[in-house]
Amino acid sequence: MAGLKHIFENTTVTRINPRFRHEMADAEKLLLCFQCGTCTAGCPVSRFSSFYNPRKIARMVQLGLKDRLLSDAALWLCTTCYTCIDNCPQGVEVANIVRSLRNLSVKERRVMPLISKKLALNILKSGYAYIIPESRIRRRITQGLPHLPRSNLKQIAKLFEVTDFLDTIENAETFEKVEVKE
Amino acid sequence: MKNSNPEYLIFLGCTIPYRLPSYEISARKILKALGVKLVEMPDFNCCGFPIDPVNHELASALATRNLCLAEEKEMNILTLCNGCFGFLNKVNKMLKEDEGFRKKINEDLNEIGMEYKGKVEVKHLIHVLAEDVGFEKIRQNVKKSLSMIRVAQHTGCHLLRPSKYTLRDGLDGHTLLKELIELTGAECLDYVDEGECCGNPIIGVNEDIPFQMAREKLEHVKRVNAQALITVCPFCHIMYDLNQPLIERRFKESFRIPVLHYPQLLGLAMGFTPEELAINDLRVKPIELLNSIYNAE
């Protein structure tokens, strides 16, 4: 009975939100998921770490365990190889659901991986995902490569602004690593 | 019918100019020799893929800005990077198919005076080689058959999946790079789990898993005695070439498998020198491979 007591004490019924999947893009087909586990069986990340389990993520979205999902660091371990999408017998786009969860987590919790913040700030500052050093740009001439164009930074900043990302990127907290817990 | 005067806007993306000029140098060499005219993409920006995990709408808007630039030039896009191809191609197809999505993204683009119309196509280097240049012309341009070497290939995820966006009429993505390799005369060996991911996209948050994935791939490639691994994506290339010494140290294993960009392999067969193809830029030096090629009777 200790087990049951434990379950009751750690389950907050109000946190279950069956309508959660309607808040997300790409999750319409999730009702068709019957938990066969093909996504996890073919997932290269799951093969090396049971900490990332797409089948479990799909089930949690069905149940509407929003808080637990959005604070789950395992979300950030999907490599976007899209094997799960091509293998799903029900046409559920699992990797896209993971992407939607990441997006929602950033939007609502204002936390993202440090690398994502760095890449986004680089794009805002230079148009490129990296700040390409001047020496590298000059070396292109000796390598016989054409000049690398400068991006239109005004337009890029505007796209950040109209998609509500300027404020997020400036104020979001970051985490450096995802520690894998088996 | 092959396109006799193919002309493309080259979309370099960020990783190639930042870390892998050898891929760009070798690709430009072979494309020029094969009669593909490249026009430089004006004031482009990151394809958007690195932003997708944190903001899908912004990522899609960044991709669409690039597509609009191509529309202004009235030219199709050629990418060298799987990430750029995968994302630009997917967003392009989503915009064409999904009216709601197109309306939303166009509202963002209108703020910078642009409008997506759906007039261009996005191709990866290997599509242009197969569809525009054609196998026959490539074969005619092979001056030095590489029949003395055995290699393996890694096509990379974003050329293969989701198949909903990557399938192309008349091409099998899983064997295309193999066929292109065999045009050089080299043997392309099969190995276990060829279509498996390199792991690179998550290396910024976790090194353990991608390094284990890359180690396994290198083990599979070594087991069939391939003399080199051939890639067509900067991210996969970084995992297997630049990171190979790190993986060797971490797992106390020795691989010493040279990883060449496909245009470097084709370039050697077309008679370019290793210097012209920036082969010395590779982290794992293909000394034995070059010896096999140049010292063969």
Side-chain angles (χ1 to χ4, degrees):
Chain A
M1 287 306 282
L4 206 58
K5 186 165 178 276
H6 177 82
I7 288 169
F8 281 125
E9 282 176 357
N10 289 283
T11 306
T12 314
V13 177
T14 53
R15 288 204 186 140
I16 292 177
N17 173 5
R19 296 198 57 78
F20 174 49
R21 66 173 193 279
H22 301 292
E23 291 177 33
M24 289 176 27
D26 295 298
E28 303 87 1
K29 288 192 202 145
L30 206 60
L31 262 188
L32 300 174
C33 169
F34 52 78
Q35 292 285 295
C36 69
T38 303
C39 48
T40 301
C43 174
V45 174
S46 300
R47 211 145 53 72
F48 290 105
S49 169
S50 59
F51 185 56
Y52 179 73
N53 184 336
R55 181 201 54 77
K56 194 169 140 193
I57 290 172
R59 187 66 182 143
M60 285 165 77
V61 177
Q62 285 178 325
L63 291 172
L65 300 171
K66 182 176 173 180
D67 295 341
R68 266 175 66 183
L69 277 163
L70 296 195
S71 57
D72 186 355
L75 283 184
W76 298 94
L77 292 179
C78 166
T79 63
T80 70
C81 76
Y82 303 127
T83 308
C84 55
I85 292 184
D86 274 12
N87 285 359
C88 179
Q90 295 292 83
V92 179
E93 302 192 339
V94 192
N96 288 347
I97 290 167
V98 171
R99 187 211 61 221
S100 288
L101 289 166
R102 287 171 167 181
N103 277 205
L104 207 58
S105 171
V106 170
K107 193 177 164 195
E108 297 197 357
R109 298 176 67 247
R110 304 244 153 186
V111 182
M112 68 174 84
L114 179 62
I115 182 74
S116 300
K117 184 165 178 166
K118 278 185 182 167
L119 295 171
L121 285 172
N122 288 344
I123 293 169
L124 193 57
K125 274 186 234 156
S126 76
Y128 298 102
Y130 312 98
I131 304 294
I132 302 175
E134 273 303 315
S135 60
R136 182 100 10 132
I137 292 171
R138 278 198 305 272
R139 201 187 309 152
R140 292 179 63 85
I141 301 167
T142 55
Q143 288 169 325
L145 297 172
H147 185 70
L148 203 60
R150 281 196 192 286
S151 221
N152 187 325
L153 299 181
K154 233 173 118 179
Q155 291 188 351
I156 289 165
K158 191 74 189 170
L159 292 179
F160 271 68
E161 188 194 314
V162 298
T163 53
D164 282 333
F165 206 57
L166 264 187
D167 178 59
T168 310
I169 203 66
E170 274 159 21
N171 298 313
E173 283 179 39
T174 58
F175 59 91
E176 221 167 302
K177 297 283 169 219
V178 173
E179 298 298 337
V180 172
K181 294 167 226 148
E182 297 294 341
Chain B
M1 274 300 282
K2 297 299 169 193
N3 185 350
S4 52
N5 292 303
E7 214 179 88
Y8 281 90
L9 268 180
I10 182 166
F11 186 85
L12 289 176
C14 312
T15 307
I16 293 168
Y18 183 54
R19 293 186 77 174
L20 289 173
S22 56
Y23 189 17
E24 184 186 347
I25 290 167
S26 54
R28 285 185 190 271
K29 286 259 157 61
I30 60 140
L31 287 170
K32 190 175 176 193
L34 293 168
V36 179
K37 190 181 169 203
L38 297 179
V39 175
E40 301 310 306
M41 186 106 194
D43 69 352
F44 68 95
N45 51 262
C46 164
C47 72
F49 175 64
I51 299 293
D52 203 40
V54 289
N55 189 323
H56 181 57
E57 186 185 343
L58 173 58
S60 306
L62 288 169
T64 311
R65 182 177 174 275
N66 291 318
L67 297 171
C68 289
L69 293 173
E71 287 185 348
E72 280 169 26
K73 286 266 183 189
E74 298 184 341
M75 289 178 74
N76 292 326
I77 290 174
L78 178 156
T79 77
L80 302 178
C81 170
N82 283 16
C84 299
F85 165 75
F87 200 66
L88 293 174
N89 178 59
K90 180 161 89 175
V91 171
N92 196 29
K93 292 195 170 172
M94 284 166 65
L95 289 165
K96 284 179 185 175
E97 288 161 11
D98 182 343
E99 223 170 288
F101 179 67
R102 179 168 171 162
K103 191 167 168 275
K104 184 172 168 193
I105 298 299
N106 261 339
E107 278 169 18
D108 296 335
L109 268 289
N110 285 345
E111 297 279 339
I112 57 169
M114 287 183 170
E115 188 194 353
Y116 172 85
K117 297 189 182 76
K119 292 191 303 192
V120 295
E121 208 195 334
V122 182
K123 287 188 182 184
H124 184 279
L125 170 72
I126 66 170
H127 303 136
V128 172
L129 290 175
E131 294 171 347
D132 297 70
V133 180
F135 289 176
E136 199 41 52
K137 187 164 182 184
I138 296 174
R139 213 175 278 125
Q140 285 163 10
N141 276 271
V142 169
K143 293 182 184 137
K144 182 173 180 55
S145 168
L146 305 182
S147 56
M148 67 299 275
I149 62 168
R150 299 176 321 276
V151 302
Q153 63 82 33
H154 171 83
T155 302
C157 298
H158 292 190
L159 273 172
L160 302 173
R161 295 176 294 267
S163 51
K164 180 168 136 187
Y165 299 116
T166 57
L167 281 181
R168 303 183 73 84
D169 284 343
L171 293 184
D172 179 348
H174 292 271
T175 57
L176 178 54
L177 184 53
K178 247 177 229 187
E179 292 173 68
L180 287 168
I181 287 170
E182 281 163 358
L183 295 175
T184 68
E187 186 183 351
C188 190
L189 302 161
D190 297 336
Y191 62 92
V192 178
D193 290 341
E194 293 188 6
E196 195 130 309
C197 178
C198 73
N200 194 322
I202 59 165
I203 204 162
V205 293
N206 182 300
E207 283 185 349
D208 291 339
I209 296 168
F211 279 161
Q212 288 181 73
M213 289 164 77
R215 170 208 195 185
E216 192 185 67
K217 170 78 68 172
L218 292 168
E219 281 175 347
H220 290 327
V221 169
K222 193 174 170 126
R223 203 167 298 152
V224 296
N225 292 319
Q227 290 167 284
L229 179 63
I230 308 301
T231 61
V232 284
C233 169
F235 292 101
C236 307
H237 195 272
I238 286 169
M239 253 349 252
Y240 302 134
D241 180 54
L242 280 175
N243 289 340
Q244 195 178 127
L246 295 176
I247 295 165
E248 289 183 321
R249 242 174 288 150
R250 180 179 281 232
F251 298 104
K252 298 189 174 56
E253 260 177 273
S254 170
F255 296 111
R256 307 290 146 84
I257 299 168
V259 187
L260 273 69
H261 310 291
Y262 175 71
Q264 292 183 317
L265 184 82
L266 179 58
L268 290 172
M270 288 170 68
F272 289 107
T273 65
E275 291 74 29
E276 287 174 304
L277 301 165
I279 282 183
N280 205 35
D281 282 10
L282 299 176
R283 175 71 53 90
V284 182
K285 306 295 177 201
I287 297 164
E288 281 173 39
L289 185 81
L290 293 178
N291 280 341
S292 307
I293 293 173
Y294 292 109
N295 299 335
E297 290 305 311

